Amino acid sequence: MIKRKTIFVGVCIFAFSTLGFSQELTEKEQAYMDSINAENAQNETTAASQEAYNKGISLFEQKSYIKAINSFEESIKLDPNFTAAYYNKGISENEARRFDQAAKTLSLLLEKDPSYSKAYFQRARAFQGSGEYTKAELDYKKSIEIDPENPNAYYNYGTLQFLQKDYDKAIQSFTTTIEKGGNLAYAYNDRASCHRMKGDYAKAVSDYEQAQKKNPNLAFVLNNIGTTKLKMENFDGAMAAFNHAISIDKNFHLAYNNRGAAQMDRGKLDEALADFEKCIAVNNKYAPAYTNIAAVKYKKEDYKGAKVAADKAIKLDKDYASAYVNRGMINEMLRDMNAACEDWQKAKELGSESGEQYASQNCGF
Amino acid sequence: MKNIKNYIILISLFVSGIINAQNVEFKRSNFKDNIDDYKTATDAIDKGVEHFEKGSLAIFEVRNSGLHFKKALQQFQIAQELNSENALNNFRIGVCYIHSSSPYKAIPYIEKAYQLNPECDPFLYYYHGNALQLKEEFDAALTSYQKFEENYRKADNFGKFVTMRKRECGYAKTFKADPVRCWVDNVGTLNTEYDEIAPTITTDGSEITFSSNRPNGHEQNEVGEYDHDIYTSLNTNGKWQKVHPIKGSVNSNLDDIVNNLSYDGTKMLLHKDNEGQIDIYETTLNGANWSTPELMHFQISTKRTNDMYASYNHDGYNIYFSRGNENLSKGTNIMYSGMQSMIEKDFKAATTINQVNSKFNDGPIYMHIDGKTMYLASQGHESIGGYDIFVSTRKQGSWTKPVNLGYPINTPYDDFFFAGTANGKYAYISSNRPNGKGGFDIYKVTYWGEPKKPIIDMEDYLLASIAEPIKDPQIEEVVSVNKVSLTVFKGKTIDALTGKAVEANIEITDNESGKLIERFTTNSASGKFLLSLTAGTNYGIAVKADGYLFHSENFDVPKGSAYNLINKVIELKNIEVGSKIALRNIFFDVGKATLRSESNSELDRLVKLLKEVPSLKVEISGHTDNTGSATINDQLSQERADAVVTYLKGKGVNAGRLTSKGYGSRQPISSNSTSKGRQENRRTEFEIIEN
């Protein structure tokens, strides 16, 4: 709660001497004067804190999250008891994906005011973002306990359960979200993804289609339909879904990338290459598309071209295991086994099974 | 002069060749002006043919042709310099090259012979087939072999070679259509224009040992060749370093051919060729030096046989090797001999391994560290030409039929020796294939392994919130900024006439909102008061004290620290007839007599006074400054006084107690020459006219 300064009006009546009344203040008057001056200084600080807070909200709305964080931080510095500033700072940190910092800010807030119920939801999101799933789970439970009718708490709890690969519980949470009228398109999409992860592709497609009915403008839902149909070896259905996704959002780079992958599956290397290149035209920072271009060019035996693409992928993401695996294969065909083995070793260190396999089979003596 | 004559002959031959490629015989008539050349050429040919026939016989008998073809080649090349357009000489040079360590050099000579006269020698079709086979033109090679068979009528055993070549072409087509997934690269740092053969490597792949007949300071043989010595090179960061002769007393003036390093790198088998007597030796590593080689046990190296290409097996108890008879007339076969006693170092009688031997030369051999895999070179089996490398595995106590390692490890040229790494990724072989550094070179085989599938990454937003995160609840809302600033307001109430403190009741009102801000009584002894007020507001102050006229005024409390203290002395007047009080909180619209609502508080206090003191009769008077005409001022002041009276009457004050009078600017209380003075003069007053 905002601490509101009430207008201070006080009256002091003193038994002064009836003799002369000068501008000079008596000791008591001076003390009173000092207390008023202190009050004024405090009021000024509070006002500055509020101004920084309001500026933070404005910056947040402009999506300038880092600047917003700084502004809320300034507000807190001026008024360490301004709880709303903590809350907004935590949300801004979540938006800026500074999840660790967000969790700290929101924990501070809850220390100051344990009844600030909304903070549990946001702190759960922060813990989820930083991979501290156990803590996130506790906060989501607390959030649901405080506000059992908030569908978003169930939704986010469901996403957490999904990330923990507890797909059955996630399905329950998304179902509750749907029952409580939350974001239906999201909930259907995510429940579909649970089914997909369980290998029940038919149910997955059914839920994805429900999501698409609830919000026909979500290209990523159509993309999910496409990739699921690919798993069902329904190539034509997948292509139709990717095409539909692109028709909704011609800048949705994932749909181009995935359509390229589908073409690759069918051995249509030129078409695949064209799609991966479109993906990059839309998003030239998307490392997987470069990795995929490297793969196509490897298949086309254009090893030098493939290496250029793999180098680019690694430049964009130095921890991208697949790019190292592919570049290792390319280096092998360029007869540079030392470089190939370095790449596979790196991929292995990054957790790639293929990297580990190739390193053990091809490197050393 | 001689050179000029030769030049003229060559030019004439060349011109005739342009017109129509024509065979030029080594006839006196073709050397009319060069009898010496004719004699030189024919003498050389005669000498060459002698060696050529011996070499050919050795080939026929599947044994080493020694230096015969090399010696023949030297002679035929003398003749070739004097007449390069002779079919038979070209053919013979080609055959010599076919049986050299650089067989690819045969191709242009064989083709030229074929072009000049395909009938120049009964074996031309056969060797033409050989040349085409080396060029990997296998169908054309088969055609030539077919022609050879059709034309060769001798009832000797040469047909087995033709049959073998035809089979080689068949295998070659099959293997080339399905090549092995590997690179075969010339190891440039190890090779020279001379022969490099017999590579063997340490288990950790850090050192390679091989034999080469590169110049070594020893005496050259009859054809100018050096004997083979053993060399070594270390591998640093995947690169082979400078080659050095092996340290110790292993190398000699004989051909020293390394056979095999033990897996721990401390023993080495080699063979030496002492003028046709080939024996297997063993040397051991003492510190950095290899010991003087010792002849192997008689079961392995005998004087009655030629023994070579030995390999340790995985546990060191068996020695595998190749053995030929005294003059190698039946080729070499793969044998093995088991150790009887480690102390005595004696071996059992050697046994032929029939499953891996062919009708042609078999060996060298390399036993893999796994103990059940044998790599062997052979001119037989399913060779695609010359020596090829094969693999056989030991299953249920016997060795399987050797399987060709495939193209491009094997080619129509001689591909032999095999030293593999423990993980099977790399191997080193010797080959005299073209485009090397010359003769036999060492090649590195890099197996690609099973086909690798490049990774294609797809990505989904399986969780919608990853695509567009849930942002509920939204951030807290903006707050209104409360910039409150307080000002200390101090003062005292005194009798206007005596200056003595008067206890008075004070009401402070926010003129804008009409809200009563504070009500208090001043100190009875000092008349003092002290309070704080919010800055930036216009206040009305009303002061009442018993027996005194009501006092009122308005004042601003400005913002800013410079104005954080207001001091005010309020003088109160006794309610005596004749007393006049200016009503400072009565406001009119500019130039009009319309009372503004901000005046109500003051007027209501006046109503209250009149009701509290019913005996009072008052005159309400209006006053202006001296701006404007007197008539207008008089009229405005009268109308304003009337407005106040009307208000009071409206609030229940008896009209008989009220008189209104407009004085215009006639009764100033301050100077009209200043704006402050004029403001003070613009006023509404009431005067007690009766009490």
Side-chain angles (χ1 to χ4, degrees), chain B residues 148-176:
Chain B
F148 173 77
E149 282 182 322
E150 289 167 4
N151 291 289
Y152 190 74
R153 300 296 177 202
K154 285 187 181 176
D156 56 21
N157 203 20
F158 195 79
K160 70 178 181 182
F161 292 100
V162 185
T163 304
M164 181 177 74
R165 297 288 175 234
K166 286 166 69 179
R167 282 171 52 204
E168 285 172 355
C169 288
Y171 294 135
K173 286 166 69 177
T174 303
F175 289 125
K176 195 177 177 186

PDB file of all heavy atoms in Angstrom, chain B residues 148-176:
ATOM      1  N   PHE B 148      42.949 -60.761 -76.783  1.00  0.00           N
ATOM      2  CA  PHE B 148      44.170 -61.528 -76.512  1.00  0.00           C
ATOM      3  C   PHE B 148      43.865 -63.025 -76.540  1.00  0.00           C
ATOM      4  O   PHE B 148      44.564 -63.812 -77.183  1.00  0.00           O
ATOM      5  CB  PHE B 148      44.748 -61.139 -75.147  1.00  0.00           C
ATOM      6  CG  PHE B 148      45.895 -62.005 -74.738  1.00  0.00           C
ATOM      7  CD1 PHE B 148      47.167 -61.822 -75.304  1.00  0.00           C
ATOM      8  CD2 PHE B 148      45.730 -63.035 -73.815  1.00  0.00           C
ATOM      9  CE1 PHE B 148      48.222 -62.644 -74.934  1.00  0.00           C
ATOM     10  CE2 PHE B 148      46.786 -63.851 -73.448  1.00  0.00           C
ATOM     11  CZ  PHE B 148      48.051 -63.657 -74.017  1.00  0.00           C
ATOM     12  N   GLU B 149      42.797 -63.393 -75.863  1.00  0.00           N
ATOM     13  CA  GLU B 149      42.427 -64.813 -75.810  1.00  0.00           C
ATOM     14  C   GLU B 149      42.148 -65.364 -77.197  1.00  0.00           C
ATOM     15  O   GLU B 149      42.510 -66.491 -77.528  1.00  0.00           O
ATOM     16  CB  GLU B 149      41.193 -65.001 -74.927  1.00  0.00           C
ATOM     17  CG  GLU B 149      41.535 -64.956 -73.446  1.00  0.00           C
ATOM     18  CD  GLU B 149      40.316 -65.187 -72.557  1.00  0.00           C
ATOM     19  OE1 GLU B 149      39.224 -64.681 -72.918  1.00  0.00           O
ATOM     20  OE2 GLU B 149      40.445 -65.857 -71.533  1.00  0.00           O
ATOM     21  N   GLU B 150      41.510 -64.531 -78.015  1.00  0.00           N
ATOM     22  CA  GLU B 150      41.166 -64.971 -79.365  1.00  0.00           C
ATOM     23  C   GLU B 150      42.408 -65.183 -80.219  1.00  0.00           C
ATOM     24  O   GLU B 150      42.432 -66.028 -81.119  1.00  0.00           O
ATOM     25  CB  GLU B 150      40.253 -63.938 -80.033  1.00  0.00           C
ATOM     26  CG  GLU B 150      38.853 -63.913 -79.445  1.00  0.00           C
ATOM     27  CD  GLU B 150      38.065 -62.692 -79.898  1.00  0.00           C
ATOM     28  OE1 GLU B 150      38.598 -61.930 -80.712  1.00  0.00           O
ATOM     29  OE2 GLU B 150      36.931 -62.527 -79.401  1.00  0.00           O
ATOM     30  N   ASN B 151      43.452 -64.410 -79.937  1.00  0.00           N
ATOM     31  CA  ASN B 151      44.648 -64.461 -80.777  1.00  0.00           C
ATOM     32  C   ASN B 151      45.782 -65.295 -80.205  1.00  0.00           C
ATOM     33  O   ASN B 151      46.711 -65.645 -80.918  1.00  0.00           O
ATOM     34  CB  ASN B 151      45.172 -63.041 -81.016  1.00  0.00           C
ATOM     35  CG  ASN B 151      44.230 -62.250 -81.907  1.00  0.00           C
ATOM     36  OD1 ASN B 151      44.128 -62.517 -83.099  1.00  0.00           O
ATOM     37  ND2 ASN B 151      43.502 -61.321 -81.304  1.00  0.00           N
ATOM     38  N   TYR B 152      45.713 -65.603 -78.902  1.00  0.00           N
ATOM     39  CA  TYR B 152      46.816 -66.317 -78.269  1.00  0.00           C
ATOM     40  C   TYR B 152      46.556 -67.811 -78.334  1.00  0.00           C
ATOM     41  O   TYR B 152      45.580 -68.316 -77.775  1.00  0.00           O
ATOM     42  CB  TYR B 152      46.952 -65.865 -76.808  1.00  0.00           C
ATOM     43  CG  TYR B 152      48.216 -66.382 -76.147  1.00  0.00           C
ATOM     44  CD1 TYR B 152      49.461 -65.824 -76.465  1.00  0.00           C
ATOM     45  CD2 TYR B 152      48.173 -67.407 -75.214  1.00  0.00           C
ATOM     46  CE1 TYR B 152      50.616 -66.288 -75.857  1.00  0.00           C
ATOM     47  CE2 TYR B 152      49.332 -67.882 -74.602  1.00  0.00           C
ATOM     48  CZ  TYR B 152      50.554 -67.315 -74.933  1.00  0.00           C
ATOM     49  OH  TYR B 152      51.696 -67.782 -74.332  1.00  0.00           O
ATOM     50  N   ARG B 153      47.393 -68.492 -79.066  1.00  0.00           N
ATOM     51  CA  ARG B 153      47.133 -69.903 -79.338  1.00  0.00           C
ATOM     52  C   ARG B 153      48.055 -70.842 -78.596  1.00  0.00           C
ATOM     53  O   ARG B 153      47.953 -72.044 -78.751  1.00  0.00           O
ATOM     54  CB  ARG B 153      47.254 -70.176 -80.849  1.00  0.00           C
ATOM     55  CG  ARG B 153      46.292 -69.371 -81.698  1.00  0.00           C
ATOM     56  CD  ARG B 153      44.851 -69.759 -81.377  1.00  0.00           C
ATOM     57  NE  ARG B 153      43.904 -68.957 -82.118  1.00  0.00           N
ATOM     58  CZ  ARG B 153      42.658 -68.775 -81.754  1.00  0.00           C
ATOM     59  NH1 ARG B 153      42.224 -69.292 -80.610  1.00  0.00           N
ATOM     60  NH2 ARG B 153      41.844 -68.055 -82.488  1.00  0.00           N
ATOM     61  N   LYS B 154      49.002 -70.315 -77.847  1.00  0.00           N
ATOM     62  CA  LYS B 154      49.948 -71.200 -77.184  1.00  0.00           C
ATOM     63  C   LYS B 154      49.247 -72.009 -76.100  1.00  0.00           C
ATOM     64  O   LYS B 154      48.401 -71.475 -75.379  1.00  0.00           O
ATOM     65  CB  LYS B 154      51.079 -70.388 -76.558  1.00  0.00           C
ATOM     66  CG  LYS B 154      52.087 -69.872 -77.569  1.00  0.00           C
ATOM     67  CD  LYS B 154      53.260 -69.236 -76.854  1.00  0.00           C
ATOM     68  CE  LYS B 154      54.254 -68.699 -77.857  1.00  0.00           C
ATOM     69  NZ  LYS B 154      55.355 -67.998 -77.187  1.00  0.00           N
ATOM     70  N   ALA B 155      49.652 -73.233 -75.984  1.00  0.00           N
ATOM     71  CA  ALA B 155      49.005 -74.116 -75.003  1.00  0.00           C
ATOM     72  C   ALA B 155      49.753 -74.077 -73.678  1.00  0.00           C
ATOM     73  O   ALA B 155      50.025 -75.097 -73.068  1.00  0.00           O
ATOM     74  CB  ALA B 155      48.937 -75.530 -75.545  1.00  0.00           C
ATOM     75  N   ASP B 156      50.206 -72.883 -73.267  1.00  0.00           N
ATOM     76  CA  ASP B 156      50.863 -72.794 -71.962  1.00  0.00           C
ATOM     77  C   ASP B 156      49.830 -72.400 -70.912  1.00  0.00           C
ATOM     78  O   ASP B 156      48.630 -72.371 -71.167  1.00  0.00           O
ATOM     79  CB  ASP B 156      52.033 -71.795 -72.004  1.00  0.00           C
ATOM     80  CG  ASP B 156      51.589 -70.431 -72.468  1.00  0.00           C
ATOM     81  OD1 ASP B 156      50.359 -70.135 -72.364  1.00  0.00           O
ATOM     82  OD2 ASP B 156      52.424 -69.642 -72.922  1.00  0.00           O
ATOM     83  N   ASN B 157      50.353 -72.057 -69.771  1.00  0.00           N
ATOM     84  CA  ASN B 157      49.434 -71.787 -68.646  1.00  0.00           C
ATOM     85  C   ASN B 157      49.129 -70.297 -68.472  1.00  0.00           C
ATOM     86  O   ASN B 157      48.640 -69.868 -67.441  1.00  0.00           O
ATOM     87  CB  ASN B 157      50.073 -72.349 -67.366  1.00  0.00           C
ATOM     88  CG  ASN B 157      49.030 -72.619 -66.322  1.00  0.00           C
ATOM     89  OD1 ASN B 157      47.846 -72.746 -66.664  1.00  0.00           O
ATOM     90  ND2 ASN B 157      49.440 -72.722 -65.075  1.00  0.00           N
ATOM     91  N   PHE B 158      49.481 -69.523 -69.537  1.00  0.00           N
ATOM     92  CA  PHE B 158      49.302 -68.087 -69.368  1.00  0.00           C
ATOM     93  C   PHE B 158      47.824 -67.679 -69.235  1.00  0.00           C
ATOM     94  O   PHE B 158      47.480 -66.639 -68.705  1.00  0.00           O
ATOM     95  CB  PHE B 158      49.941 -67.334 -70.550  1.00  0.00           C
ATOM     96  CG  PHE B 158      50.117 -65.875 -70.281  1.00  0.00           C
ATOM     97  CD1 PHE B 158      51.176 -65.419 -69.492  1.00  0.00           C
ATOM     98  CD2 PHE B 158      49.216 -64.939 -70.779  1.00  0.00           C
ATOM     99  CE1 PHE B 158      51.331 -64.076 -69.228  1.00  0.00           C
ATOM    100  CE2 PHE B 158      49.367 -63.585 -70.518  1.00  0.00           C
ATOM    101  CZ  PHE B 158      50.431 -63.146 -69.734  1.00  0.00           C
ATOM    102  N   GLY B 159      46.997 -68.571 -69.708  1.00  0.00           N
ATOM    103  CA  GLY B 159      45.560 -68.282 -69.648  1.00  0.00           C
ATOM    104  C   GLY B 159      45.083 -67.959 -68.245  1.00  0.00           C
ATOM    105  O   GLY B 159      44.120 -67.193 -68.058  1.00  0.00           O
ATOM    106  N   LYS B 160      45.798 -68.488 -67.222  1.00  0.00           N
ATOM    107  CA  LYS B 160      45.333 -68.226 -65.848  1.00  0.00           C
ATOM    108  C   LYS B 160      45.463 -66.732 -65.500  1.00  0.00           C
ATOM    109  O   LYS B 160      44.662 -66.183 -64.749  1.00  0.00           O
ATOM    110  CB  LYS B 160      46.117 -69.067 -64.842  1.00  0.00           C
ATOM    111  CG  LYS B 160      47.572 -68.678 -64.645  1.00  0.00           C
ATOM    112  CD  LYS B 160      48.241 -69.533 -63.588  1.00  0.00           C
ATOM    113  CE  LYS B 160      49.695 -69.111 -63.397  1.00  0.00           C
ATOM    114  NZ  LYS B 160      50.393 -69.929 -62.423  1.00  0.00           N
ATOM    115  N   PHE B 161      46.488 -66.083 -66.130  1.00  0.00           N
ATOM    116  CA  PHE B 161      46.633 -64.656 -65.862  1.00  0.00           C
ATOM    117  C   PHE B 161      45.501 -63.859 -66.511  1.00  0.00           C
ATOM    118  O   PHE B 161      44.969 -62.914 -65.929  1.00  0.00           O
ATOM    119  CB  PHE B 161      47.990 -64.143 -66.386  1.00  0.00           C
ATOM    120  CG  PHE B 161      49.167 -64.696 -65.625  1.00  0.00           C
ATOM    121  CD1 PHE B 161      49.914 -65.749 -66.122  1.00  0.00           C
ATOM    122  CD2 PHE B 161      49.518 -64.150 -64.394  1.00  0.00           C
ATOM    123  CE1 PHE B 161      50.983 -66.254 -65.420  1.00  0.00           C
ATOM    124  CE2 PHE B 161      50.599 -64.653 -63.686  1.00  0.00           C
ATOM    125  CZ  PHE B 161      51.337 -65.715 -64.191  1.00  0.00           C
ATOM    126  N   VAL B 162      45.158 -64.274 -67.709  1.00  0.00           N
ATOM    127  CA  VAL B 162      44.084 -63.568 -68.418  1.00  0.00           C
ATOM    128  C   VAL B 162      42.770 -63.742 -67.667  1.00  0.00           C
ATOM    129  O   VAL B 162      42.005 -62.793 -67.478  1.00  0.00           O
ATOM    130  CB  VAL B 162      43.948 -64.095 -69.861  1.00  0.00           C
ATOM    131  CG1 VAL B 162      42.902 -63.271 -70.616  1.00  0.00           C
ATOM    132  CG2 VAL B 162      45.285 -64.047 -70.565  1.00  0.00           C
ATOM    133  N   THR B 163      42.560 -64.970 -67.262  1.00  0.00           N
ATOM    134  CA  THR B 163      41.333 -65.235 -66.499  1.00  0.00           C
ATOM    135  C   THR B 163      41.297 -64.363 -65.239  1.00  0.00           C
ATOM    136  O   THR B 163      40.274 -63.770 -64.904  1.00  0.00           O
ATOM    137  CB  THR B 163      41.275 -66.723 -66.102  1.00  0.00           C
ATOM    138  OG1 THR B 163      41.381 -67.491 -67.289  1.00  0.00           O
ATOM    139  CG2 THR B 163      39.987 -67.051 -65.387  1.00  0.00           C
ATOM    140  N   MET B 164      42.476 -64.301 -64.567  1.00  0.00           N
ATOM    141  CA  MET B 164      42.541 -63.494 -63.346  1.00  0.00           C
ATOM    142  C   MET B 164      42.257 -62.025 -63.652  1.00  0.00           C
ATOM    143  O   MET B 164      41.488 -61.372 -62.954  1.00  0.00           O
ATOM    144  CB  MET B 164      43.929 -63.631 -62.720  1.00  0.00           C
ATOM    145  CG  MET B 164      44.091 -62.840 -61.429  1.00  0.00           C
ATOM    146  SD  MET B 164      45.711 -63.100 -60.700  1.00  0.00           S
ATOM    147  CE  MET B 164      46.732 -62.155 -61.789  1.00  0.00           C
ATOM    148  N   ARG B 165      42.842 -61.514 -64.747  1.00  0.00           N
ATOM    149  CA  ARG B 165      42.635 -60.100 -65.090  1.00  0.00           C
ATOM    150  C   ARG B 165      41.169 -59.823 -65.392  1.00  0.00           C
ATOM    151  O   ARG B 165      40.623 -58.800 -64.998  1.00  0.00           O
ATOM    152  CB  ARG B 165      43.483 -59.703 -66.301  1.00  0.00           C
ATOM    153  CG  ARG B 165      44.971 -59.793 -66.085  1.00  0.00           C
ATOM    154  CD  ARG B 165      45.487 -58.685 -65.174  1.00  0.00           C
ATOM    155  NE  ARG B 165      46.898 -58.888 -64.902  1.00  0.00           N
ATOM    156  CZ  ARG B 165      47.432 -58.950 -63.698  1.00  0.00           C
ATOM    157  NH1 ARG B 165      46.666 -58.821 -62.628  1.00  0.00           N
ATOM    158  NH2 ARG B 165      48.718 -59.130 -63.543  1.00  0.00           N
ATOM    159  N   LYS B 166      40.556 -60.752 -66.094  1.00  0.00           N
ATOM    160  CA  LYS B 166      39.145 -60.549 -66.435  1.00  0.00           C
ATOM    161  C   LYS B 166      38.292 -60.544 -65.159  1.00  0.00           C
ATOM    162  O   LYS B 166      37.374 -59.732 -65.011  1.00  0.00           O
ATOM    163  CB  LYS B 166      38.679 -61.644 -67.400  1.00  0.00           C
ATOM    164  CG  LYS B 166      39.214 -61.447 -68.815  1.00  0.00           C
ATOM    165  CD  LYS B 166      39.058 -62.672 -69.680  1.00  0.00           C
ATOM    166  CE  LYS B 166      37.611 -62.953 -70.019  1.00  0.00           C
ATOM    167  NZ  LYS B 166      37.503 -64.144 -70.887  1.00  0.00           N
ATOM    168  N   ARG B 167      38.658 -61.440 -64.263  1.00  0.00           N
ATOM    169  CA  ARG B 167      37.923 -61.455 -62.987  1.00  0.00           C
ATOM    170  C   ARG B 167      38.154 -60.160 -62.222  1.00  0.00           C
ATOM    171  O   ARG B 167      37.242 -59.600 -61.627  1.00  0.00           O
ATOM    172  CB  ARG B 167      38.363 -62.647 -62.139  1.00  0.00           C
ATOM    173  CG  ARG B 167      37.730 -63.964 -62.599  1.00  0.00           C
ATOM    174  CD  ARG B 167      38.335 -65.154 -61.887  1.00  0.00           C
ATOM    175  NE  ARG B 167      38.330 -64.988 -60.421  1.00  0.00           N
ATOM    176  CZ  ARG B 167      39.163 -65.606 -59.597  1.00  0.00           C
ATOM    177  NH1 ARG B 167      40.080 -66.417 -60.088  1.00  0.00           N
ATOM    178  NH2 ARG B 167      39.082 -65.416 -58.306  1.00  0.00           N
ATOM    179  N   GLU B 168      39.423 -59.701 -62.282  1.00  0.00           N
ATOM    180  CA  GLU B 168      39.736 -58.435 -61.599  1.00  0.00           C
ATOM    181  C   GLU B 168      38.861 -57.297 -62.120  1.00  0.00           C
ATOM    182  O   GLU B 168      38.342 -56.500 -61.346  1.00  0.00           O
ATOM    183  CB  GLU B 168      41.213 -58.067 -61.825  1.00  0.00           C
ATOM    184  CG  GLU B 168      42.186 -58.900 -61.008  1.00  0.00           C
ATOM    185  CD  GLU B 168      43.632 -58.636 -61.394  1.00  0.00           C
ATOM    186  OE1 GLU B 168      43.882 -57.873 -62.352  1.00  0.00           O
ATOM    187  OE2 GLU B 168      44.525 -59.199 -60.731  1.00  0.00           O
ATOM    188  N   CYS B 169      38.700 -57.257 -63.439  1.00  0.00           N
ATOM    189  CA  CYS B 169      37.870 -56.183 -64.015  1.00  0.00           C
ATOM    190  C   CYS B 169      36.429 -56.295 -63.521  1.00  0.00           C
ATOM    191  O   CYS B 169      35.767 -55.293 -63.235  1.00  0.00           O
ATOM    192  CB  CYS B 169      37.919 -56.236 -65.542  1.00  0.00           C
ATOM    193  SG  CYS B 169      39.496 -55.690 -66.213  1.00  0.00           S
ATOM    194  N   GLY B 170      35.962 -57.532 -63.463  1.00  0.00           N
ATOM    195  CA  GLY B 170      34.602 -57.735 -62.963  1.00  0.00           C
ATOM    196  C   GLY B 170      34.459 -57.264 -61.519  1.00  0.00           C
ATOM    197  O   GLY B 170      33.527 -56.523 -61.180  1.00  0.00           O
ATOM    198  N   TYR B 171      35.422 -57.673 -60.683  1.00  0.00           N
ATOM    199  CA  TYR B 171      35.372 -57.238 -59.274  1.00  0.00           C
ATOM    200  C   TYR B 171      35.510 -55.716 -59.173  1.00  0.00           C
ATOM    201  O   TYR B 171      34.846 -55.058 -58.370  1.00  0.00           O
ATOM    202  CB  TYR B 171      36.499 -57.901 -58.475  1.00  0.00           C
ATOM    203  CG  TYR B 171      36.370 -59.402 -58.347  1.00  0.00           C
ATOM    204  CD1 TYR B 171      37.470 -60.230 -58.556  1.00  0.00           C
ATOM    205  CD2 TYR B 171      35.159 -59.988 -57.989  1.00  0.00           C
ATOM    206  CE1 TYR B 171      37.362 -61.605 -58.430  1.00  0.00           C
ATOM    207  CE2 TYR B 171      35.053 -61.367 -57.866  1.00  0.00           C
ATOM    208  CZ  TYR B 171      36.152 -62.169 -58.086  1.00  0.00           C
ATOM    209  OH  TYR B 171      36.037 -63.527 -57.959  1.00  0.00           O
ATOM    210  N   ALA B 172      36.405 -55.197 -60.023  1.00  0.00           N
ATOM    211  CA  ALA B 172      36.650 -53.750 -59.961  1.00  0.00           C
ATOM    212  C   ALA B 172      35.368 -52.972 -60.239  1.00  0.00           C
ATOM    213  O   ALA B 172      35.067 -51.984 -59.558  1.00  0.00           O
ATOM    214  CB  ALA B 172      37.735 -53.361 -60.958  1.00  0.00           C
ATOM    215  N   LYS B 173      34.619 -53.432 -61.248  1.00  0.00           N
ATOM    216  CA  LYS B 173      33.366 -52.726 -61.565  1.00  0.00           C
ATOM    217  C   LYS B 173      32.413 -52.776 -60.382  1.00  0.00           C
ATOM    218  O   LYS B 173      31.761 -51.786 -60.044  1.00  0.00           O
ATOM    219  CB  LYS B 173      32.718 -53.373 -62.792  1.00  0.00           C
ATOM    220  CG  LYS B 173      33.449 -53.025 -64.079  1.00  0.00           C
ATOM    221  CD  LYS B 173      33.040 -53.923 -65.238  1.00  0.00           C
ATOM    222  CE  LYS B 173      31.615 -53.665 -65.698  1.00  0.00           C
ATOM    223  NZ  LYS B 173      31.280 -54.489 -66.864  1.00  0.00           N
ATOM    224  N   THR B 174      32.370 -53.947 -59.749  1.00  0.00           N
ATOM    225  CA  THR B 174      31.467 -54.102 -58.599  1.00  0.00           C
ATOM    226  C   THR B 174      31.894 -53.197 -57.442  1.00  0.00           C
ATOM    227  O   THR B 174      31.080 -52.465 -56.878  1.00  0.00           O
ATOM    228  CB  THR B 174      31.483 -55.574 -58.122  1.00  0.00           C
ATOM    229  OG1 THR B 174      31.121 -56.388 -59.219  1.00  0.00           O
ATOM    230  CG2 THR B 174      30.513 -55.783 -56.963  1.00  0.00           C
ATOM    231  N   PHE B 175      33.183 -53.257 -57.103  1.00  0.00           N
ATOM    232  CA  PHE B 175      33.648 -52.485 -55.935  1.00  0.00           C
ATOM    233  C   PHE B 175      33.598 -50.978 -56.197  1.00  0.00           C
ATOM    234  O   PHE B 175      33.281 -50.202 -55.302  1.00  0.00           O
ATOM    235  CB  PHE B 175      35.072 -52.906 -55.553  1.00  0.00           C
ATOM    236  CG  PHE B 175      35.141 -54.277 -54.956  1.00  0.00           C
ATOM    237  CD1 PHE B 175      35.959 -55.253 -55.477  1.00  0.00           C
ATOM    238  CD2 PHE B 175      34.364 -54.584 -53.843  1.00  0.00           C
ATOM    239  CE1 PHE B 175      36.013 -56.517 -54.916  1.00  0.00           C
ATOM    240  CE2 PHE B 175      34.413 -55.861 -53.276  1.00  0.00           C
ATOM    241  CZ  PHE B 175      35.240 -56.838 -53.815  1.00  0.00           C
ATOM    242  N   LYS B 176      33.910 -50.609 -57.421  1.00  0.00           N
ATOM    243  CA  LYS B 176      33.913 -49.169 -57.708  1.00  0.00           C
ATOM    244  C   LYS B 176      32.488 -48.599 -57.671  1.00  0.00           C
ATOM    245  O   LYS B 176      32.283 -47.430 -57.346  1.00  0.00           O
ATOM    246  CB  LYS B 176      34.542 -48.909 -59.078  1.00  0.00           C
ATOM    247  CG  LYS B 176      34.887 -47.440 -59.262  1.00  0.00           C
ATOM    248  CD  LYS B 176      35.579 -47.144 -60.582  1.00  0.00           C
ATOM    249  CE  LYS B 176      35.818 -45.642 -60.694  1.00  0.00           C
ATOM    250  NZ  LYS B 176      36.363 -45.275 -61.994  1.00  0.00           N
TER     251      LYS B 176
END
